[in-house]
Amino acid sequence: MSAIIILVLGLAAMAAGYFLYSKFIAEKVYRLDPDYTTPAHEYEDGVDFVPTNRYVLWGHHFTSVAGAAPIVGPAIAVIWGWLPAFLWVIFGTIFFAGIHDAGAIWASVRNKARSVGALTGDVVGKRARSIFMIVIFLVLLMVNAVFAVVIASLMMDFSSAVVPVWGAILVALVIGQMIYRRKMSLPVVSIIGVVALYALIFIGPSVPIQMPEEVGGMAGNAVWILILFGYAAIASLLPVWVLLQPRDYINGLQLFIGLIVLYGAILLLNPDLVAPMINSDVPAGTPPIFPLLFVTIACGAISGFHGLVSSGTTSKQLDKETDARFVGYFGAVGEGMLALAAILAATAGFATFADWQAMYTDFGAGGVTAFVEGGAYMIHHGLGLPEATAATLLTVMAALFAGTTMDTGLRLQRYIFQEWGEIYHQPWMKKPATATLLAVGSCLLLAFGAGGPDGSGGMIIWPLFGTTNQLLAGLTLLVVTVMLVRLRRPMWFTLVPLCFLLVMTIGALLLQLRSFYDQGNYFLLIVDIVVLIAAILVAMECAQALKRARTEMGKQL
């Protein structure tokens, strides 16, 4: 089948979802109020609470949630065939991710911009809050530790990407000054930023920087990991307008340009999908498609991490409540577009079916490598851009997204420690510097304590990211659903995705439990049991919280 058909159908469906479905959700379900005073105005402090132009905030939200996961997940899941991955990305974006992200922003804004984990205690109950905070911590620990490994590996493997990746930080610092200090026009600033960013991408191959395989007795990638966490610690303490916002905004523009280039190459090349629609001959050891598809593709369909960003940083910067539709729902659409690009690159970016099979020799193969190589192949043959340059462009895209997610993730982890300090009355934990040290320390403990001297410890628990992440999405939808019930508003639009996620998550955890036992991987077995117990408790809390909310509503009538 022609990749153009899939591209057009996917983009048309997501456009309809934004213009029609999200409008209905915003007006009839969440009832967003343009006159509501948002926390960004009520608590404006110039550091975390900053009223922000919705386009700039969209850039922050989108690139914070669109890390490497919407590339990795879909590019792995096509091993079952391109159709299941395509359908889950499209329907997940429209009916799951969009209302999840916008709902998390709305819920947080209506509760003083508290994180969804903290406000769970008020909306659902203290037991649910305890479960939520543990799950949140696990997800952030996985994301930060793993994305550090991903970025370090990309810079070790693609030395041409080092200058663009680090140069983007300098560009972002300048952009922040232009927007907030110089008050320059946003379109002008955008053009300057994009030109500078792409100039760095083209300069990168001419100025490769290769980290030695060993530095002072440490592996080169381990050195990069330490540098990345040092940078992320500083970034998490800076005011959001100095680095976080402009870095995310300019990366958002970079992604759309990258998508236009990739989609344009598809339109000109008109490649066929060499992968099967449904793959009935999967490699030995590949788990069943149900329910694993729905946790393998998390980001790009629905992701609990989005709820952390929505309620952790985005809600503190929302200028008007009505901006939640554009920032949250359209942010999810943007990630769906990236996931669609990953599916096309991983299925139409190979010359033959045999080439595709050579990439997908076992479950877990593909990922970023399939995206970069497949995308570079199409850009080279469709647009004539040198394949090495195209590969650098896509590598930098993946690295920058992983970097912006790590920036936001560490800031969120700092917030979690501060909220724990608030909940358990520990003033020392509420200090930003102390909380940041605790966040970095926990990530490094996992990276080097579990992974050894190469710092790859995050990869050990990564197999449980999908299930833990989807459990977190279910918890977020639970909070939103209970709020809707108490406000006497339609709840089915969030309740149905909530129930679906819980069923799929519990099913996936049970399958993985057997797999870890058969492998003799007792560490993951224990973690899986912990997450499974949390999932069951969440399901019970769902039933009890909804029953209480409906009872309270009945008493008020």
Side-chain angles (χ1 to χ4, degrees):
M1 179 179 286
S2 170
I4 292 179
I5 296 175
I6 301 304
L7 174 61
V8 172
L9 287 176
L11 294 180
M14 285 189 277
Y18 176 72
F19 287 110
L20 300 176
Y21 189 62
S22 76
K23 187 173 187 293
F24 166 77
I25 294 295
E27 294 178 356
K28 304 299 182 182
V29 179
Y30 298 144
R31 301 179 190 177
L32 304 179
D33 182 2
D35 298 320
Y36 182 80
T37 302
T38 64
H41 290 281
E42 187 175 357
Y43 306 111
E44 184 174 0
D45 60 6
V47 179
D48 294 318
F49 292 86
V50 179
T52 304
N53 178 290
R54 68 175 188 158
Y55 297 102
V56 175
L57 185 56
W58 175 87
H60 156 71
H61 179 81
F62 167 59
T63 53
S64 293
V65 301
I71 294 173
V72 174
I76 289 175
V78 294
I79 197 168
W80 290 302
W82 61 262
L83 183 61
F86 172 76
L87 292 176
W88 174 226
V89 164
I90 299 305
F91 287 105
T93 295
I94 296 171
F95 298 109
F96 287 70
I99 61 171
H100 170 276
D101 289 22
I105 296 173
W106 167 73
S108 179
V109 164
R110 288 285 171 160
N111 288 274
K112 302 180 180 180
R114 295 166 68 196
S115 76
V116 71
L119 65 88
T120 301
D122 296 335
V123 176
V124 182
K126 291 184 178 180
R127 284 182 304 181
R129 182 186 66 188
S130 299
I131 299 168
F132 212 149
M133 297 297 273
I134 293 171
V135 174
I136 288 173
F137 183 76
L138 280 174
V139 168
L140 289 174
L141 196 64
M142 292 179 191
V143 167
N144 292 332
V146 170
F147 280 15
V149 175
V150 169
I151 301 168
S153 297
L154 286 171
M155 289 192 293
M156 288 295 292
D157 295 339
F158 299 92
S159 58
S160 60
V162 175
V163 168
V165 167
W166 290 101
I169 297 170
L170 297 177
V171 172
L173 290 169
V174 174
I175 292 297
Q177 296 296 317
M178 288 179 172
I179 294 175
Y180 287 98
R181 295 291 192 193
R182 301 295 181 181
K183 307 295 183 182
M184 292 177 63
S185 167
L186 188 59
V188 173
V189 172
S190 302
I191 293 171
I192 293 173
V194 168
V195 169
L197 195 59
Y198 275 91
L200 289 170
I201 290 174
F202 282 95
I203 291 172
S206 302
V207 192
I209 297 178
Q210 184 66 58
M211 178 73 71
E213 291 294 329
E214 186 176 314
V215 179
M218 293 184 66
N221 64 302
V223 175
W224 275 129
I225 289 171
L226 290 175
I227 293 172
L228 285 164
F229 274 114
Y231 153 75
I234 295 170
S236 73
L237 291 169
L238 291 174
V240 290
W241 65 268
V242 173
L243 179 59
L244 190 67
Q245 276 186 6
R247 176 165 156 81
D248 291 349
Y249 173 66
I250 206 66
N251 282 342
L253 294 178
Q254 181 253 156
L255 167 73
F256 264 93
I257 292 173
L259 286 178
I260 290 171
V261 170
L262 189 54
Y263 289 160
I266 292 172
L267 293 173
L268 292 174
L269 182 62
N270 189 22
D272 288 327
L273 301 174
V274 299
M277 181 183 296
I278 303 290
N279 190 8
S280 58
D281 186 25
V282 296
T286 300
I289 185 171
F290 293 102
L292 267 297
L293 171 68
F294 303 100
V295 297
T296 301
I297 300 180
C299 299
I302 181 171
S303 165
F305 180 74
H306 292 204
L308 301 184
V309 176
S310 296
S311 64
T313 57
T314 302
S315 63
K316 294 178 175 63
Q317 303 169 61
L318 201 72
D319 184 32
K320 295 181 179 179
E321 190 178 63
T322 47
D323 290 345
R325 178 192 172 203
F326 179 79
V327 174
Y329 196 100
F330 191 59
V333 169
E335 189 175 61
M337 293 170 64
L338 178 57
L340 177 60
I343 291 171
L344 293 172
T347 56
F350 296 87
T352 66
F353 175 59
D355 293 332
W356 182 83
Q357 280 187 312
M359 173 66 71
Y360 289 89
T361 54
D362 55 58
F363 184 73
V368 174
T369 302
F371 172 74
V372 171
E373 292 185 4
Y377 172 87
M378 291 191 293
I379 292 172
H380 172 63
H381 289 88
L383 300 177
L385 199 67
E387 199 157 355
T389 303
T392 298
L393 187 151
L394 295 175
T395 301
V396 170
M397 180 190 296
L400 288 180
F401 284 143
T404 53
T405 300
M406 187 178 168
D407 285 0
T408 302
L410 199 65
R411 185 179 286 260
L412 290 171
Q413 207 166 357
R414 186 248 290 180
Y415 290 161
I416 293 299
F417 277 108
Q418 289 179 297
E419 287 179 349
W420 274 339
E422 184 73 32
I423 293 170
Y424 299 110
H425 309 292
Q426 299 293 326
W428 63 276
M429 288 183 68
K430 294 190 287 185
K431 296 179 180 179
T434 304
T436 299
L437 287 175
L438 289 172
V440 172
S442 60
C443 291
L444 291 177
L445 183 63
L446 173 62
F448 291 94
D454 65 349
S456 62
M459 304 306 294
I460 293 175
I461 61 173
W462 185 249
L464 283 170
F465 170 75
T467 47
T468 310
N469 193 37
Q470 299 305 61
L471 175 60
L472 183 55
L475 283 163
T476 302
L477 287 171
L478 168 61
V479 171
V480 175
T481 302
V482 173
M483 286 182 61
L484 291 174
V485 171
R486 288 178 175 175
L487 293 169
R488 299 187 180 90
R489 297 179 188 175
M491 67 173 181
W492 296 106
F493 304 98
T494 55
L495 181 61
V496 171
L498 162 61
C499 294
F500 179 86
L501 283 177
L502 286 180
V503 170
M504 293 302 163
T505 299
I506 291 173
L509 284 166
L510 288 171
L511 278 176
Q512 288 181 317
L513 198 67
R514 177 60 184 271
S515 175
F516 296 146
Y517 179 77
D518 291 341
Q519 295 169 11
N521 194 331
Y522 297 111
F523 173 74
L524 285 182
L525 181 70
I526 293 171
V527 177
D528 190 302
I529 292 172
V530 171
V531 178
L532 179 60
I533 292 172
I536 295 171
L537 290 174
V538 166
M540 296 170 62
E541 288 290 337
C542 284
Q544 292 180 7
L546 290 172
K547 183 179 179 180
R548 285 196 305 268
R550 291 181 70 85
T551 301
E552 291 171 4
M553 185 180 68
K555 289 180 179 179
Q556 294 171 3
L557 293 177

